[in-house]
Amino acid sequence: MAEGTYVKLNEEHHSGQNITPGELNQAIDVDKLHARICEQCGQVLPPSYIPPADEDWATGIFGFCEDADSCLTGFFCPCVQFGRNVAALNDDISSERACIGHAVCVEGGIAVAAATAGFHGMIDPDTVCLLTEGLLFAWWVCAIYTGMGRQLLQRRYHLKDSPCDPCLVHCCLHWCALCQEHREMQHHLSDFSSSEDTVVSPPKAQEMNAAVEKQENVSSSDQGDAPNNLQLQPV
């Protein structure tokens, strides 16, 4: 065996047996490098672990009265609501980027559909059919994309599918789903908001006592450092 070459021995090889250099130089698979990690505690999960999904949502899909502000934002500016939800779930995507993407795909598709309906009779029927098929396909793709954000929220808090699959919820009740997801994140606000340092001012009496003690310490130190002025007088 060539000097300086390291091989991995197994039970079938003996110390006196000749081994071809590089015969057993295989990559060692370390389980911890490929194992799943818990997002909450960072511990390694066993291969058979299945995350639970049995928690109920804080509000229902039609719980509009729970938060009037998010309801108005979700129905009249859904792109803004979607951007806020995505930014809260994924730090790599800003709310502006998510908002622009939603506005181009969803609001843009609705504008094209409204224009197609408004010019009904003026556009060739084959063209109308082609536009309709394209808009339906685009709507389904947007439902899959927005449903992925709902799935991320469900995995984080082990929420069950309510009322059905996330993609179907966004396909049929897109605006209601955005509002429900925002209300759910508000319910878990402590996990999304950054902790701020709280400055507590001491009472005035405590401040006065501290100032008096400091002044006494300074005066005592000055007295200790002062030279002794006593002189010896001859008799």
Side-chain angles (χ1 to χ4, degrees):
M1 186 174 73
E3 184 179 358
T5 303
Y6 297 90
V7 296
K8 179 183 176 182
L9 299 178
N10 54 27
E11 297 179 356
E12 298 178 357
H13 294 84
H14 303 282
S15 59
Q17 183 179 357
N18 294 329
I19 301 175
T20 305
E23 177 184 359
L24 299 177
N25 284 346
Q26 304 295 332
I28 300 176
D29 187 13
V30 181
D31 295 336
K32 290 187 177 182
L33 297 179
H34 305 285
R36 294 185 300 170
I37 305 298
C38 178
E39 297 180 358
Q40 302 297 330
C41 62
Q43 296 182 357
V44 179
L45 300 175
S48 59
Y49 174 78
I50 299 177
D54 53 359
E55 296 292 334
D56 294 326
W57 291 72
T59 58
I61 190 69
F62 298 112
F64 309 118
C65 298
E66 300 290 339
D67 189 358
D69 294 336
S70 64
C71 178
L72 295 176
T73 306
F75 275 91
F76 293 101
C77 298
C79 57
V80 176
Q81 190 71 276
F82 177 74
R84 293 174 180 175
N85 295 348
V86 172
L89 291 172
N90 193 341
D91 297 334
D92 297 333
I93 302 178
S94 62
S95 59
E96 291 79 8
R97 291 173 54 190
C99 179
I100 294 174
H102 188 280
V104 172
C105 297
V106 179
E107 281 82 348
I110 294 176
V112 173
T116 303
F119 289 99
H120 180 69
M122 303 175 59
I123 305 176
D124 184 64
D126 295 336
T127 305
V128 174
C129 182
L130 183 62
L131 289 174
T132 303
E133 292 178 356
L135 290 174
L136 291 176
F137 177 76
W139 180 258
W140 177 246
V141 173
C142 292
I144 295 175
Y145 175 70
T146 53
M148 292 172 61
R150 187 178 180 88
Q151 288 178 344
L152 181 60
L153 179 65
Q154 292 182 216
R155 287 196 300 268
R156 176 169 295 186
Y157 295 109
H158 310 298
L159 302 172
K160 62 176 64 174
D161 291 343
S162 176
C164 57
D165 183 78
C167 296
L168 290 177
V169 173
H170 274 276
C171 182
C172 304
L173 302 170
H174 177 65
W175 289 264
C176 300
L178 290 179
C179 297
Q180 185 190 25
E181 293 163 11
H182 179 77
R183 293 193 300 270
E184 189 68 27
M185 286 186 286
Q186 289 294 323
H187 181 70
H188 301 280
L189 184 61
S190 59
D191 294 340
F192 291 96
S193 59
S194 58
S195 60
E196 298 180 357
D197 296 333
T198 304
V199 179
V200 180
S201 300
K204 293 184 178 180
Q206 185 176 355
E207 291 181 352
M208 294 176 63
N209 294 335
V212 171
E213 292 178 0
K214 183 177 180 181
Q215 185 175 3
E216 292 177 355
N217 294 333
V218 172
S219 60
S220 60
S221 62
D222 293 339
Q223 293 177 1
D225 296 338
N228 192 356
N229 296 327
L230 297 178
Q231 297 180 358
L232 296 177
Q233 299 293 334
V235 179

